[in-house]
Amino acid sequence: MATDSTTAPDSTTTPAPAPALDAPADRAGHGAGWREGARSGVYWAVAHGLPRLVIHGAARRGDLQGRLMLAPASGDQVWELLAEARDHGPLLRSRLSYLTADYAAVKEILSSPDFRAGRPTRDGSVLGRLLDRTAPPVQNPVEPPSLLATEPPDHTRYRRLVTRVFTVRAVERLRVRTEAIAAELLDGLDPSAPVDLIDSYCAQLPLTVITEILGVPPAQRNQVLELGTRAAPSLDFALGWRQFRAVTSGLRDFGRWLDDHIEQLRRHPGEDLLSQLIEARDENGALDDRELKATAGLVLAAGFETTVNLLGNAIALLDRHPDQRARLRADGALWPNAVDEALRLDPPVLMTGRVSTRPTSVAGLDLPEGAPVVTLLAGANRDPRVFADPDRFDVARENARDHVSFSGGRHYCLGASLARMEGEVGLRALAERFPDLHLLPGAGRRPTRVLRGYETLPARLR
């Protein structure tokens, strides 16, 4: 639900120092602002700055995970590192955590009751208490009560309230509307001029669909897109100081906007999913205010983040493989499979984390309780024991749908059916309307590490 120019801001440089707590401007009497800045600086130093130092040190010593976390997100080095991780066997113990790019091990971990989602919990240590005291007053998608970071029974309760709108049958009812939205967006493009496909199409299609599902007024859609883009790096680990400040600001502004939107729907409920969630909460106490915001915010952001990356990545793959484009023109029935093949080869989400809840074993290797494990979804998708010639883009691949790009187990992406449908509709409509489309120089990847997609994708439509 769980990616560029060249690198993320601060992503491969020495960590920026936390702001001085006794800076002259602060001493001049900024009161609450000074205290908030000081708390943010302490929190960043412990939660992000210190891990950054550890990651850089590990990378300098050749640690694979350290090198993977610092690899430029815009290049192909990530694929080489994922292959190297797989070559180490089903489970690698790095200096930072356990790591796996093995398909069978990834599937086992994602479905095992011996692992929970999210990051290691804060313990009662001095650092843990410090993090609790200085955490920014914002809701983060990688912390409870987010669906990404909760387990049963809470996770079951949240998911049950949302799932009904994302069933295969419900998604198929949305297909006609999605086709109409795609046609409207394509009608608005000027075929005689270069266009940025991310800005004008790939982002707008899923954004319009998910905001309609959640009752967001059309005039606020681009505001939601801007807020979601600012908050997206919150999924990343060990952020630089400037990036941490920007993400915290984005989460805060998103939270304020969501408060206002929820209040409007309380006063004027509609037929949308969020109105239904509010009603369910008021009737039987299913969701308190924090749970409601966390669930609605995640569904809203994830509803377009995954699909905008899927569309951009797939368009780039098809541009690089004209033989596969020709195959789709000859056989339109291959479009659903082409979507899954794009999800497999260049997934919108590269990795996800789990933590062992008890002593357990994976692929015959023992793990202690509390062991963090990074499952490299993109690496598992290229496991040669599962996918023949795994680096080849083949829109007719028989087992393309076996990828793990939507995670697995109880945390399997509840919007997977919606993303697949939007991917199929969006790619097919674009290819049929502009069969001679070709990309231009200047494409840029997003400056994120967990999410992988394009920030800009310039194209000539004819």
Side-chain angles (χ1 to χ4, degrees):
M1 281 284 297
T3 265
D4 299 36
S5 44
T6 52
T7 59
D10 311 319
S11 62
T12 58
T13 58
T14 302
L21 301 188
D22 59 349
D26 292 331
R27 287 200 305 267
H30 288 296
W34 177 88
R35 288 191 293 273
E36 182 179 352
R39 285 195 297 269
S40 292
V42 172
Y43 181 86
W44 172 83
V46 177
H48 296 278
L50 182 59
R52 282 168 64 82
L53 289 173
V54 173
I55 290 168
H56 280 266
R60 283 194 297 270
R61 291 189 290 272
D63 181 80
L64 177 58
Q65 186 175 354
R67 289 186 288 131
L68 180 62
M69 296 180 76
L70 298 181
S74 59
D76 291 332
Q77 185 183 0
V78 63
W79 307 120
E80 298 171 4
L81 292 171
L82 292 173
E84 185 178 340
R86 195 166 46 249
D87 290 342
H88 279 276
L91 196 65
L92 167 66
R93 179 69 172 103
S94 82
R95 294 175 180 267
L96 307 173
S97 73
Y98 290 88
L99 198 67
T100 178
D102 179 87
Y103 183 89
V106 167
K107 292 276 285 186
E108 179 181 353
I109 291 166
L110 294 178
S111 60
S112 172
D114 293 342
F115 292 88
R116 63 167 178 81
R119 295 172 179 173
T121 55
R122 300 168 191 165
D123 54 25
S125 65
V126 172
L127 290 181
R129 292 196 301 271
L130 193 59
L131 286 172
D132 288 333
R133 291 180 59 187
T134 59
V138 297
Q139 288 194 259
N140 194 304
V142 295
E143 296 180 356
S146 167
L147 274 162
L148 295 180
T150 54
E151 293 294 334
D154 288 338
H155 180 270
T156 305
R157 182 163 51 100
Y158 306 155
R159 191 177 178 102
R160 183 172 57 246
L161 289 168
V162 179
T163 297
R164 61 182 177 272
V165 81
F166 294 117
T167 64
V168 174
R169 179 177 298 179
V171 166
E172 281 306 306
R173 289 198 295 267
L174 289 169
R175 179 180 289 270
V176 174
R177 176 58 185 146
T178 304
E179 291 171 343
I181 294 168
E184 292 168 9
L185 292 171
L186 295 174
D187 287 343
L189 300 182
D190 181 0
S192 65
V195 62
D196 178 6
L197 289 174
I198 299 300
D199 180 63
S200 60
Y201 186 67
C202 297
Q204 293 299 324
L205 177 61
L207 176 68
T208 304
V209 172
I210 198 65
T211 52
E212 288 188 359
I213 288 174
L214 291 173
V216 178
Q220 296 182 17
R221 285 173 187 159
N222 284 335
Q223 180 184 4
V224 171
L225 176 62
E226 186 266 336
L227 291 172
T229 300
R230 286 169 57 193
S234 60
L235 298 178
D236 289 348
F237 186 68
L239 299 175
W241 169 244
R242 290 190 296 276
Q243 196 176 28
F244 167 75
R245 291 282 300 275
V247 168
T248 301
S249 174
L251 288 171
R252 183 181 296 112
D253 290 345
F254 184 75
R256 289 170 178 163
W257 172 86
L258 190 56
D259 281 335
D260 291 341
H261 180 53
I262 289 172
E263 185 58 32
Q264 286 297 317
L265 291 180
R266 281 199 182 102
R267 295 174 181 171
H268 308 287
E271 299 300 319
D272 57 274
L273 171 65
L274 187 47
S275 293
Q276 295 174 34
L277 287 178
I278 294 170
E279 182 180 355
R281 193 281 311 259
D282 288 341
E283 285 181 353
N284 54 34
L287 295 176
D288 62 27
D289 283 338
R290 289 187 71 247
E291 293 170 334
L292 178 62
K293 278 186 65 176
T295 303
L298 180 65
V299 170
L300 182 57
F304 67 83
E305 284 291 347
T306 300
T307 310
V308 65
N309 291 345
L310 160 60
L311 289 169
N313 293 350
I315 290 169
L317 283 169
L318 289 168
D319 184 74
R320 294 197 301 269
H321 298 85
D323 60 319
Q324 298 302 302
R325 291 175 64 180
R327 197 166 185 179
L328 288 166
R329 279 197 296 270
D331 185 1
L334 286 174
W335 275 111
N337 202 72
V339 170
D340 275 304
E341 177 67 349
L343 285 164
R344 182 193 71 82
L345 195 63
D346 198 357
V349 181
L350 290 179
M351 63 189 78
T352 187
R354 295 291 186 267
V355 179
S356 58
T357 58
R358 59 181 66 87
T360 187
S361 63
V362 174
L365 301 176
D366 293 332
L367 274 72
E369 179 181 350
V373 182
V374 176
T375 58
L376 300 170
L377 307 178
N381 284 346
R382 298 193 181 203
D383 191 328
R385 287 167 295 187
V386 179
F387 303 101
D389 196 4
D391 298 328
R392 179 169 58 89
F393 182 53
D394 179 5
V395 298
R397 183 182 296 274
E398 291 184 358
N399 66 339
R401 198 179 174 92
D402 291 342
H403 63 77
V404 292
S405 298
F406 289 126
S407 190
R410 58 195 175 278
H411 286 278
Y412 182 80
C413 176
L414 59 82
S417 294
L418 180 63
R420 282 187 167 107
M421 184 272 287
E422 290 179 294
E424 178 195 344
V425 169
L427 293 171
R428 184 198 298 266
L430 182 65
E432 291 178 350
R433 180 72 66 91
F434 301 112
D436 298 322
L437 178 150
H438 60 278
L439 298 184
L440 300 173
R445 287 278 185 182
R446 301 179 65 181
T448 44
R449 298 295 173 189
V450 173
L451 300 177
R452 177 176 167 85
Y454 283 92
E455 191 170 58
T456 57
L457 201 60
R460 177 76 68 178
L461 300 177
R462 291 179 180 168

